[in-house]
Amino acid sequence: MTKARNDYDPKAYNPTFQRAFLNPKHWGTWLGLIFGLPLTLLPNSVRVAIARFVARKMCQKQKRLCAKSAY
């Protein structure tokens, strides 16, 4: 009943974890994942509140760039 797939190539893409990913060169990516992934699990209303808070703090530092935004 099942047919063999003829479009599957096991050598086409085989991602593996490499120890080189732990080098300091990639630490920014790891930090982004550590802080970003938990944010995706929050409800949308909480994420919007966090985004507004961050936007206001950024606009306080650069008033002339954010003067026209309604954040």
Side-chain angles (χ1 to χ4, degrees):
M1 287 210 147
T2 60
K3 295 181 180 180
R5 290 180 57 183
N6 63 356
D7 63 341
Y8 177 73
D9 184 8
K11 296 180 183 178
Y13 182 66
N14 188 11
T16 57
F17 183 80
Q18 301 169 4
R19 290 188 57 86
F21 293 148
L22 299 176
N23 288 342
K25 172 182 171 182
H26 301 288
W27 285 359
T29 301
W30 288 112
L31 289 173
L33 286 171
I34 288 170
F35 289 112
L37 286 176
L39 289 175
T40 63
L41 300 174
L42 294 174
N44 192 41
S45 59
V46 175
R47 287 187 301 203
V48 169
I50 292 171
R52 284 183 180 156
F53 175 78
V54 171
R56 285 186 181 131
K57 289 296 179 185
M58 290 177 68
C59 284
Q60 285 176 355
K61 289 185 178 184
Q62 299 179 355
K63 289 202 183 254
R64 62 185 168 96
L65 292 177
C66 300
K68 295 180 182 177
S69 69
Y71 61 84

